[in-house]
Amino acid sequence: MSTLRRPVDGFALATMLLLCALWGIQQVAIKLAASDIPPLAQMALRSGLAALLVGLLCLLRGERLDLRDGTWRPGLLSGVLFGAEFLFIGEGLRHTHASHIAVFLYTAPVFTALGLHWRIPSERLRRVQWVGILVAFAGIMLAFGGGWLQGGITPRMLWGDTLGLLAGLSWSATTVVVRGSSLSEARPTHTLLYQLLGGFALLLPIALFTGQTGHLSMTGTAWASLLFQGVIVSFASYLVWFWLLRRYLASGLSVFSFMTPVFGVTAGWLVLREPVGLFFILGAALVLAGILIVSAPGLPRTAAPAAGLRPGRLVP
């Protein structure tokens, strides 16, 4: 029997503010420790650590991962897509600002809405959602093109921004795979475990092959970044998020999740002293406005998956 979920209250709002702050500053944490541990190595180690913790939680709960239940094929695919997402994030952070990655990564809801529209009949977009998609893409073009014309974006930064956009596309592809497969009925911890293990298995060899594990310096900053990403973000914050989803309306929570890029941009400016140009601010505002239109409460069920509210995979 399904649990009655209630509207978002003050406690849920405060919790969402904390979660969005954690999710928004994780790109900043990665870049802050990049001189000690290259981003790709951080991505691999964080996925492995979080997978270990989720596996231990499943063991304590008596949850067995049964590969005969038909989830291993979509689980494998979602793991590859998860790894690709963080590959793009890790490489993108080597070329552009953390604040840029935080915004372009959150184009995922737009790509998710498009993917679900064509794959799942019940997820068809309404006209107003198409307007939101156009607004979001206009914001992307303004953030890219405006900064380029103004001289504030170098070819290297443009490549990094493109990788951030590809990360958002990979995230959305993961959503579509989960939503349209047997993973949609699987335990959230199992879906998350598939993705963390897949990410670790994909990212670690690439980090080794590209030499990004040969220059590790385990400083206090490095340890703090890894523990923050692996324990607090990829493990603890996800569990809190699942807890919220079991008790509150997903459509209400999804709106507050769009504060994440705002925290990311603010943290990049305050901590890393990253410049924030006018065109980028205007473009980011259009992207967020478009996402809000696409995922607004009261629209079709694309709202929940498009905002990242899906079983086992929440935010990066």
Side-chain angles (χ1 to χ4, degrees):
M1 184 172 63
S2 61
T3 303
L4 181 63
R5 288 166 175 81
R6 55 183 183 267
V8 173
D9 54 22
F11 173 79
L13 173 60
T15 305
M16 281 302 302
L17 281 172
L18 176 60
L19 292 180
C20 290
L22 293 175
W23 298 334
I25 66 178
Q26 64 176 321
Q27 276 71 237
V28 174
I30 295 168
K31 192 143 190 173
L32 199 60
S35 59
D36 299 321
I37 305 181
L40 203 55
Q42 291 188 56
M43 301 289 94
L45 293 174
R46 121 185 186 148
S47 295
L49 176 58
L52 177 62
L53 293 174
V54 173
L56 289 174
L57 179 63
C58 291
L59 186 63
L60 291 173
R61 289 178 171 180
E63 299 177 0
R64 294 184 57 188
L65 184 61
D66 189 357
L67 299 180
R68 297 171 299 178
D69 62 1
T71 60
W72 74 268
R73 286 187 179 87
L76 178 63
L77 179 57
S78 68
V80 171
L81 290 170
F82 180 90
E85 175 189 337
F86 283 95
L87 172 62
F88 293 135
I89 290 174
E91 288 301 294
L93 285 170
R94 298 174 60 196
H95 301 285
T96 192
H97 299 316
S99 55
H100 286 208
I101 295 293
V103 170
F104 289 122
L105 177 61
Y106 272 80
T107 58
V110 175
F111 294 121
T112 299
L114 287 172
L116 292 175
H117 171 81
W118 280 302
R119 181 174 174 81
I120 301 176
S122 62
E123 303 283 3
R124 298 295 183 187
L125 294 170
R126 290 184 177 180
R127 289 182 182 177
V128 66
Q129 290 176 297
W130 283 110
V131 172
I133 288 173
L134 291 176
V135 169
F137 277 108
I140 293 171
M141 296 304 297
L142 181 60
F144 272 89
W148 179 265
L149 292 174
Q150 198 178 31
I153 296 180
T154 64
R156 179 178 179 179
M157 186 179 294
L158 187 63
W159 172 239
D161 288 352
T162 302
L163 290 173
L165 200 59
L166 289 175
L169 183 59
S170 299
W171 178 9
S172 69
T174 311
T175 304
V176 175
V177 168
V178 173
R179 177 67 179 84
S181 70
S182 55
L183 287 176
S184 63
E185 302 299 328
R187 292 180 183 269
T189 47
H190 290 178
T191 306
L192 180 58
L193 188 58
Y194 274 126
Q195 293 168 17
L196 291 170
L197 289 173
F200 179 71
L202 178 68
L203 294 172
L204 185 59
I206 295 176
L208 289 168
F209 181 76
T210 57
Q212 293 196 41
T213 58
H215 306 284
L216 304 184
S217 179
M218 298 310 295
T219 63
T221 301
W223 278 111
S225 178
L226 284 178
L227 291 175
F228 171 72
Q229 296 175 61
V231 179
I232 296 178
V233 175
S234 298
F235 178 68
S237 75
Y238 286 5
L239 293 180
V240 174
W241 178 249
F242 284 132
W243 185 87
L244 288 174
L245 287 177
R246 286 179 177 272
R247 289 160 178 81
Y248 296 93
L249 295 172
S251 59
L253 294 173
S254 70
V255 174
F256 294 108
S257 69
F258 299 124
M259 295 183 292
T260 302
V262 177
F263 282 108
V265 172
T266 303
W269 176 64
L270 289 175
V271 178
L272 301 175
R273 302 300 180 187
E274 294 178 346
V276 182
L278 176 61
F279 281 108
F280 178 74
I281 293 175
L282 293 176
L286 283 177
V287 168
L288 294 179
I291 294 171
L292 280 170
I293 294 171
V294 170
S295 304
L299 292 175
R301 283 180 291 175
T302 32
L309 309 178
R310 56 198 189 272
R313 177 71 171 93
L314 311 170
V315 293

